Amino acid sequence: MSGKKTEKSYAEINQRIKKGEALVLTAEEMIDFVDENGEDKALAEVDVVTTATFGAMCSSGAFLNFGHCDPPIRMGRVWLNDVMAYAGLAAVDVYLGATEESEIKGLEYGGAHVIEELLAGRKVHLRATSKGTDSYPRKELDTYITLEDLNQAYLFNPRNCYQNYWVAVNSSDKMIYTYMGPLMARFGNASYSSAGQLSPLLNDPYYKTIGIGSRIFLGGAQGYIAWEGTQHNPVRERNQKGIPVGGAGTMAVIGDLKEMSTEYVRPASIEKYGVSMYVGIGVPIPILNKEMVRYTAVRDRDIDVTIVDYSGGVRDNPTLGQVNYEQLRSGTIVLENGREVPTAPLSSYNKARKIALELKKWINNGEFLLEKPVENLSTNSQFKILKEGAVPNV
Amino acid sequence: MCKKRLKLVFGPEIVGKPVTYNLIKKYDVIINVFQARVLPDEEGHMVLDIRGKNEESIKKSIKYLQSEGVMVDFLEKSISYNQDRCINCGACTGVCRSGALLMDQESWELIVDQDKCLLCEMCLSACSMKALSLELG
């Protein structure tokens, strides 16, 4: 090809997708492609790289609208299968948080489990109470609903898809139970939670193409990035490749629950910790220029991550050096203190791979087009801690 | 040949007795110890496979152990694996010391080898999907 192009546009890529001519690779396939063909050829030939993750994402939940009963009720307190949903909204709107626990069963069953039951088409027990008003006289409601019965049901997850995370270990002499799973005493095991080279924000570390309005794979359906995620921390220390060495960027995502599947949205009960929800997210990255070729060719050994000792129960846990994902995936790491520690992932690489392949299929079939972000995620917002005891200025 | 997996609990008062020696000598059984923690003046625990010529020889062996005051628990329990619930995350593999739970490094699917399982039950608390559970025989 003469007159080498150095930039491609979203419009060109979408045109190729519509014509069925686009070359779409998963982030794993992209590594091999660049190795074999070089960056120039990758830019010329590859249109989209699909990235994905399937991990525990506590900061998740669903907005539900039940429709009005007769006589109507302005729901004050609401329970779904004995899990409380937040009803401080309009009369029959609630937000069901994934981690809210059942008032009867505790952490065996929570908001995420209710979401799974809805997705599976099962009946869910709805109870509501109210103070009663002139226009909404009813004070109590006790009935059963299904996902189909609802007007709207959409996931709106305030913080998903962490860009990297930590490796968790326990230096103390007793076992501790954390959101990173059980951590055995005296560095008995290490757990980590990122899809590494397949993970969306690690393939676009400065959020050049991933932003508000990006169309994504969410829980088996098409969804969108709605906002930057809570605790989005783009200024986290980065390695030479520009990869943050701990939890950094995050995204808030939205999508229609009615189109999702239990295959990609799963409840979790984390021993002696609580309920969480595994969410499958896939993000397509357009190969607009050489920079995106380089970012999407990132591999596990380029991604460093900080080891954190979770035994103290404090905000700023002590750290114990760094390892990379290739080392983590080998099953054993060696700590700075010389200890050899078995490693295990919390997020499913197998599922992440399936999602990346599924998204690739959607794009190849012309069912999924890329959306240019309306606005990019911040690259400089500050990450704040909660300061206690400050006296308000009157 | 007949084989049984047993969990033995020794009270502090019998820890000093050569129980396993007698067992092998008197009953001609083959012992394979998977796990043992036996210390003076403490309750001792042992997980072992016992193999004898026939069921009768194993029965006699167990009777002998019980007569010495050893608590015998038949590990006819097993860890049951529900593939539909499993998401192949691998969280269980980090706490499994016996090699019964491993990740395939190519497919990143969980490989379950029941024969290696020592029934420590650690994986039950590591699995947040309830894909692993204890099955009683």
Side-chain angles (χ1 to χ4, degrees):
Chain A
M1 219 194 324
S2 62
K4 269 190 197 166
K5 278 187 72 170
T6 57
E7 293 281 336
K8 274 187 279 189
S9 69
Y10 280 81
E12 284 170 61
I13 291 172
N14 280 334
Q15 266 311 316
R16 291 168 62 81
I17 293 172
K18 282 181 200 161
K19 286 187 195 159
E21 291 169 356
L23 178 58
V24 186
L25 300 178
T26 68
E28 282 183 305
E29 294 164 343
M30 183 64 167
I31 295 169
D32 295 338
F33 191 95
V34 174
D35 267 356
E36 285 162 27
N37 304 291
E39 290 177 352
D40 288 331
K41 198 165 179 204
L43 174 61
E45 294 186 11
V46 183
D47 295 292
V48 183
V49 168
T50 60
T51 63
T53 185
F54 187 78
M57 304 193 191
C58 285
S59 204
S60 297
F63 280 105
L64 309 172
N65 176 284
F66 300 110
H68 288 281
C69 52
D70 190 29
I73 184 170
R74 179 172 179 258
M75 297 175 176
R77 293 271 181 274
V78 172
W79 296 263
L80 291 157
N81 285 356
D82 301 314
V83 178
M84 192 180 267
Y86 181 69
L89 304 162
V92 293
D93 284 337
V94 296
Y95 185 74
L96 174 64
T99 69
E100 184 73 34
E101 290 175 18
S102 157
E103 291 182 357
I104 312 284
K105 295 179 184 164
L107 61 75
E108 290 298 304
Y109 191 95
H113 295 82
V114 176
I115 289 170
E116 186 191 41
E117 307 246 30
L118 287 169
L119 283 175
R122 288 195 281 269
K123 282 199 160 105
V124 168
H125 188 192
L126 166 66
R127 281 190 301 127
T129 60
S130 173
K131 60 183 179 183
T133 66
D134 287 345
S135 50
Y136 295 100
R138 192 143 169 185
K139 290 184 175 172
E140 276 182 21
L141 176 73
D142 190 322
T143 186
Y144 288 83
I145 51 125
T146 65
L147 186 58
E148 210 181 314
D149 299 333
L150 304 178
N151 283 317
Q152 285 74 28
Y154 48 89
L155 280 191
F156 187 96
N157 302 345
R159 177 167 75 254
N160 278 184
C161 213
Y162 244 117
Q163 183 181 27
N164 212 347
Y165 207 68
W166 314 107
V167 180
V169 294
N170 168 19
S171 69
S172 78
D173 56 8
K174 66 174 205 305
M175 171 110 154
I176 57 169
Y177 295 87
T178 73
Y179 59 83
M180 298 291 277
L183 296 174
M184 292 159 100
R186 295 175 290 276
F187 307 108
N189 63 317
S191 55
Y192 61 98
S193 181
S194 167
Q197 63 196 13
L198 260 178
S199 184
L201 291 175
L202 293 174
N203 278 273
D204 184 3
Y206 293 102
Y207 333 119
K208 303 268 183 187
T209 69
I210 299 177
I212 298 169
S214 292
R215 184 178 291 120
I216 61 169
F217 174 111
L218 177 62
Q222 289 191 16
Y224 296 90
I225 295 174
W227 208 252
E228 72 177 23
T230 53
Q231 288 176 211
H232 177 69
N233 182 6
V235 296
R236 176 78 62 199
E237 178 198 344
R238 290 172 186 255
N239 71 8
Q240 284 180 330
K241 295 250 176 186
I243 301 284
V245 296
T250 67
M251 51 172 87
V253 297
I254 189 164
D256 191 350
L257 195 62
K258 293 189 179 197
E259 290 172 18
M260 293 182 195
S261 135
T262 53
E263 181 73 20
Y264 300 111
V265 180
R266 284 284 182 90
S269 291
I270 302 169
E271 179 97 345
K272 296 185 187 167
Y273 179 76
V275 175
S276 187
M277 190 159 84
Y278 274 70
V279 182
I281 293 183
V283 180
I285 295 179
I287 302 304
L288 302 173
N289 48 41
K290 193 84 80 64
E291 196 180 12
M292 296 320 296
V293 171
R294 274 183 212 136
Y295 288 147
T296 52
V298 73
R299 61 186 75 208
D300 281 342
R301 66 167 179 258
D302 303 326
I303 306 169
D304 296 305
V305 53
T306 307
I307 303 163
V308 172
D309 181 1
Y310 274 58
S311 65
V314 291
R315 184 189 60 214
D316 300 316
N317 287 313
T319 59
L320 294 122
Q322 292 177 3
V323 284
N324 66 46
Y325 276 86
E326 192 173 270
Q327 293 164 321
L328 286 168
R329 293 230 168 261
S330 76
T332 318
I333 53 169
V334 181
L335 302 183
E336 274 176 343
N337 60 13
R339 286 294 298 264
E340 238 184 62
V341 181
T343 60
L346 289 176
S347 76
S348 171
Y349 196 77
N350 175 278
K351 280 264 193 189
R353 191 183 272 164
K354 270 186 191 151
I355 293 167
L357 285 166
E358 181 72 14
L359 180 55
K360 172 179 168 172
K361 197 170 87 187
W362 290 359
I363 299 171
N364 277 333
N365 291 345
E367 302 160 20
F368 188 108
L369 296 175
L370 271 60
E371 205 64 55
K372 187 178 177 183
V374 183
E375 210 162 309
N376 289 96
L377 300 181
S378 159
T379 52
N380 59 12
S381 61
Q382 291 299 313
F383 184 70
K384 292 178 186 156
I385 54 162
L386 174 62
K387 294 186 199 111
E388 289 172 85
V391 181
N393 286 326
V394 183
Chain B
M1 262 319 198
C2 181
K3 188 177 93 170
K4 286 254 185 279
R5 185 161 294 185
L6 306 176
K7 183 175 177 181
L8 309 183
V9 181
F10 303 74
E13 67 286 355
I14 52 166
V15 162
K17 282 190 183 176
V19 174
T20 21
Y21 169 82
N22 285 338
L23 185 68
I24 296 164
K25 268 295 233 197
K26 287 188 187 165
Y27 298 92
D28 191 25
V29 285
I30 300 165
I31 301 286
N32 191 15
V33 179
F34 291 109
Q35 231 178 24
R37 183 183 161 84
V38 184
L39 293 167
D41 306 321
E42 268 184 36
E43 191 177 80
H45 297 258
M46 201 183 269
V47 173
L48 47 78
D49 270 355
I50 174 166
R51 261 181 286 185
K53 278 189 211 85
N54 48 42
E55 207 145 322
E56 194 56 29
S57 66
I58 294 204
K59 259 190 197 162
K60 280 184 184 160
S61 308
I62 289 165
K63 260 205 181 127
Y64 161 72
L65 287 169
Q66 287 167 332
S67 74
E68 291 282 12
V70 179
M71 273 159 46
V72 182
D73 193 3
F74 292 87
L75 291 186
E76 276 159 19
K77 301 186 277 193
S78 59
I79 301 292
S80 133
Y81 172 51
N82 181 338
Q83 214 162 347
D84 291 338
R85 292 237 42 99
C86 178
I87 56 165
N88 292 297
C89 65
C92 55
T93 62
V95 295
C96 179
R97 290 291 176 273
S98 67
L101 299 165
L102 286 173
M103 290 308 278
D104 182 298
Q105 295 275 314
E106 282 297 312
S107 68
W108 290 97
E109 279 176 1
L110 182 68
I111 306 165
V112 183
D113 185 346
Q114 292 280 5
D115 285 344
K116 289 188 180 157
C117 177
L118 299 177
L119 288 158
C120 72
E121 300 179 21
M122 279 298 298
C123 58
L124 302 183
S125 60
C127 178
S128 61
M129 293 290 143
K130 300 274 171 281
L132 296 162
S133 55
L134 194 64
E135 205 164 78
L136 299 170

